[in-house]
Structures are given as structure tokens and as C-alpha cells.
Amino acid sequence: MNYNILVINPGSTSDDIGYYRGQEPVFEVTVRYSMTDLEPYEGKNVLEQLPLRKKLILDYLIDHNIPLEEINAVIGRGGFIKSVSGGVYEVNEQMLADLSSGRYGGIHPSNLGGILAHEIAQIAHCPSFIANPVVIDEMQPLARYSGMPENPRISIFHALSQKRVARMIANKLGKKYTEINCIVCHGGGGITVGAHCKGRVIDVNNGYEGDGPMTPQRSGGVPSSGLVQMCFSGKYTERDIKLKLRGKGGLVAYTGTSDVKDLEEFIRTGVKRPGSMIFCTREQAEEARDAMVYQIAKYIGAMAVVLKGQVDFIALTGGLMNSKVIPQKIGEYVSWLAPLYVFPGSEEKIALREAAQRALEDPSCVKRYV
């Protein structure tokens, strides 16, 4: 059966929304907020933007002549709630309280996804959901050990993207996601590599907080003694260190840019575009890019060990995989382990639509947040 589904994926300065009748999009659009729109909210809790964002989404529905009463479900990107297992969750009062309070990891723009979905669904008199939020935790006990009992490894990763790609490839192979073992790498501003075992991500790096390979703007795992010395050297504030870990680490620290497309054009031609922030030589840029690839491949190899070599396939997804070079170079390291599939981009709206479709087709699969 075909259902009419509204998808909401909030970002810091935009809402990525889509409306679907069955599998056909009525519209897919990124609603961007101008500096003028956001100026009244500068320095304030992001929740104060809810009326603005809700109105613009409702206006889009009106502009496309979509009556609210035809909507069968609204689904939003999952935010920072308590750790849960993978799946589709109906938005309830406990989830709304946790998203609004920032109890688990603060109030990130993604927290607005579940709240906006709920508020619009109330008007439309339909259910609201989230699916596979970044805080999915299916890690096996051994994966949690860090060497410091006070500082265990935790699971924060691109769950929505990783699980969709894994499920999609499994279907192409004529199997269920719960029947296969695979390794999925999502590469973007952050990079996460997950070991998927029979439908559960039993080990994955916490890409949000900087664990794992270096990325275009994150340092990844760094030598611990050196980091401690930096922290107590008196040269850096706490904010400086946090920015080195997330925001100004990785490729941007070595090259001056986190724009991989710009960097690869410089590597290819040796010419910096007008306004480019690249400060290194062509050779240094290539080596830094290749170092990131090397680290990604190492993490894929580590996850193959986690799965004891029983890997049905390896999948590469996310914006980084739009590169013509990066997937190829990763493949040179890891393609001997298992068949390699590349799906550039993340298609999070499609992943959310498919999750809502599953929830409407089989209400028994919907999980309750407690």
C-alpha cells in the first residue's frame, strides 16, 4: 500500500524536507534560513526556532496544495536521546521531554526533528516517528572497553545512512539485513565505520566526538600523551583543544580547507581557485588526503577482524564518496576482504521515508521509547 509521508531533517541553518505519495516525491527541498531569519535567535536555545521552522514547513505544504488531512505519517531525524537499539520509534512524551531538555548530549539542531514531526502530526492527526538516530547503541560488551573504566567507548554514528545502505545491498543480494555481516563506512564531515552483524552494529567508532580516522574537519584518534601535554601546556584553551578535535582538525589542519572537492581539484591541477584557503603545496595536499584514506582503510580492516573475517560486503557512502579518487584508493586497500559497493551521498530523506513506510505497513515493528 502507498502512504503519504512528510520527512523533516533539520540542520543548523536549514531544514531538508520532502513529501512523498508512495515512493514518488511531490517535492524535495532544502529550506535555508537567512542570517536575517536567524539573527533574533543568536546565542539562544535552538528550540526557540521551532515556530519559525514549523511555519515555513507548513507554508511549503500549502504552496504545494497538500491538505494536512491526507498525510499518513510525519517522520523526523532522530536527535540526542538516550542510547537505543536500531529501529523506528513513535514520538512520545518521554522522547519530547528528553529532546527538549538536552538531557543526553545537549540540544543539537537534530533534536528539532522529532519535535517538529510531533507538532505537525498533531495538526494532521497522524502518527509521528523518528528512525535510527545517531545514538543507536548495539555495541557488544568487548567493544566498550577503552582502557579507562571512567571513559568507556560509546556509540554515536551515522546510523540512519549506514543501516539504509546495508539493508539496500542485502536486498539486492536476495538476503535480509538480519542475515548478513557487513562493514559500512559513512564519510562526510565526520567519518564512522561500523561492523554490522546480523542486523546489529556491534562495533563502531564515535565519529561525533572525534574517535576513528581523521576526517575533513576532525582529528580522529590522536596520540594520548601528546594530547595531554597540549592540554596542560598553557598554549591552548579548552575551546582551542575541542576545535582541534572537531572543527579545525583533520584535513583542514594540514591543508587549510575541509572542502575535499576544492582540495582534489588543487591536487589534480596544481591551481588554487580564487578565495581558496589552501596553504600547503600540491604534494602535501595529496599526502594529507591519502593519509585520511589510509586511516579509513585501517578502520575497515579492524572491523573485518571484529566480524572474524566473515564479511559479506563492504559499503562506502556519504558525501566523501562523490570523490572520483577516495573510493578507488580505499578499494585498493580493502577490496580483497569482500565485495565493495559505493553509494555516494547519504539520501537521509529516502531512508526516513522508507522507515515510516515500514512502520505504517507493520505497526508491530514500531518501538516504544522509555
Side-chain angles (χ1 to χ4, degrees):
M1 180 175 175
N2 289 329
Y3 294 97
N4 304 321
I5 297 168
L6 174 64
V7 171
I8 305 171
N9 186 355
S12 57
T13 60
S14 66
D15 287 321
D16 202 15
I17 61 175
Y19 185 71
Y20 305 86
R21 291 190 177 112
Q23 296 186 19
E24 296 301 316
V26 177
F27 68 84
E28 294 178 314
V29 65
T30 299
V31 180
R32 299 194 183 278
Y33 302 101
S34 67
M35 295 300 294
T36 303
D37 291 331
L38 297 179
E39 188 175 4
Y41 307 99
E42 188 173 348
K44 298 180 180 179
N45 189 316
V46 72
L47 293 177
E48 296 192 29
Q49 298 176 21
L50 275 168
L52 167 71
R53 294 180 182 239
K54 180 179 174 181
K55 180 180 183 302
L56 286 180
I57 293 169
L58 290 172
D59 286 346
Y60 248 91
L61 295 173
I62 292 170
D63 291 344
H64 287 82
N65 299 312
I66 296 168
L68 290 173
E69 58 268 21
E70 86 165 32
I71 301 175
N72 298 120
V74 187
I75 187 166
R77 178 185 177 192
F80 282 80
I81 53 177
K82 72 177 181 180
S83 296
V84 293
S85 60
V88 184
Y89 290 80
E90 187 161 12
V91 180
N92 59 18
E93 292 303 318
Q94 183 61 58
M95 184 185 294
L96 290 171
D98 288 348
L99 289 170
S100 300
S101 68
R103 180 181 176 188
Y104 300 98
I107 300 178
H108 187 269
S110 62
N111 287 30
L112 298 174
I115 300 171
L116 284 166
H118 174 76
E119 293 198 0
I120 294 174
Q122 280 199 312
I123 301 171
H125 303 291
C126 67
S128 56
F129 305 105
I130 67 166
N132 290 328
V134 295
V135 292
I136 281 180
D137 187 350
E138 301 168 338
M139 286 171 63
Q140 60 186 351
L142 294 180
R144 302 182 190 280
Y145 280 75
S146 68
M148 294 182 182
E150 309 90 342
N151 187 25
R153 299 189 188 280
I154 61 175
S155 175
I156 301 179
F157 71 109
H158 302 92
L160 185 64
S161 170
Q162 284 204 24
K163 282 182 172 278
R164 178 181 186 266
V165 168
R167 185 177 284 108
M168 182 169 58
I169 297 172
N171 288 340
K172 287 180 180 293
L173 297 176
K175 297 181 179 180
K176 295 179 180 179
Y177 175 50
T178 53
E179 296 174 341
I180 54 93
N181 290 348
C182 66
I183 300 165
V184 184
C185 169
H186 178 106
I191 297 172
T192 57
V193 183
H196 297 238
C197 179
K198 305 295 188 288
R200 297 177 63 83
V201 182
I202 61 172
D203 200 347
V204 66
N205 64 294
N206 177 352
Y208 180 72
E209 295 183 347
D211 185 28
M214 83 177 195
T215 85
Q217 56 185 215
R218 301 178 194 179
S219 66
V222 297
S224 53
S225 283
L227 180 60
V228 170
Q229 290 175 15
M230 289 173 65
C231 289
F232 289 93
S233 68
K235 296 180 181 179
Y236 309 100
T237 65
E238 180 180 352
R239 182 175 182 274
D240 291 335
I241 294 294
K242 286 183 175 179
L243 281 172
K244 284 180 175 294
L245 292 172
R246 185 171 180 266
K248 292 187 177 180
L251 284 185
V252 69
Y254 287 101
T255 69
T257 185
S258 60
D259 185 335
V260 174
K261 184 177 180 181
D262 183 28
L263 192 70
E264 292 200 322
E265 184 64 15
F266 173 58
I267 293 169
R268 188 178 69 84
T269 65
V271 179
K272 299 177 186 178
R273 65 170 175 79
S276 173
M277 301 299 290
I278 296 172
F279 58 66
C280 64
T281 67
R282 185 179 180 182
E283 292 74 19
Q284 289 169 333
E286 184 172 18
E287 185 169 273
R289 189 271 317 276
D290 290 352
M292 181 180 71
V293 166
Y294 177 80
Q295 291 182 25
I296 292 170
K298 281 208 301 185
Y299 264 83
I300 291 172
M303 293 307 169
V305 172
V306 168
L307 295 171
K308 300 179 180 178
Q310 298 177 18
V311 184
D312 292 293
F313 59 84
I314 299 165
L316 306 177
T317 190
L320 272 183
M321 304 311 159
N322 284 304
S323 162
K324 294 180 180 179
V325 177
I326 289 174
Q328 175 188 340
K329 285 184 170 287
I330 293 173
E332 291 172 3
Y333 285 107
V334 305
S335 58
W336 60 275
L337 290 168
L340 181 67
Y341 297 86
V342 181
F343 289 89
S346 60
E347 296 187 336
E348 289 183 331
K349 289 197 298 296
I350 301 301
L352 288 169
R353 183 197 65 76
E354 291 173 349
Q357 178 83 16
R358 291 195 300 273
L360 293 170
E361 288 176 343
D362 180 13
S364 67
C365 79
V366 178
K367 297 183 177 181
R368 184 167 179 267
Y369 181 76
V370 294

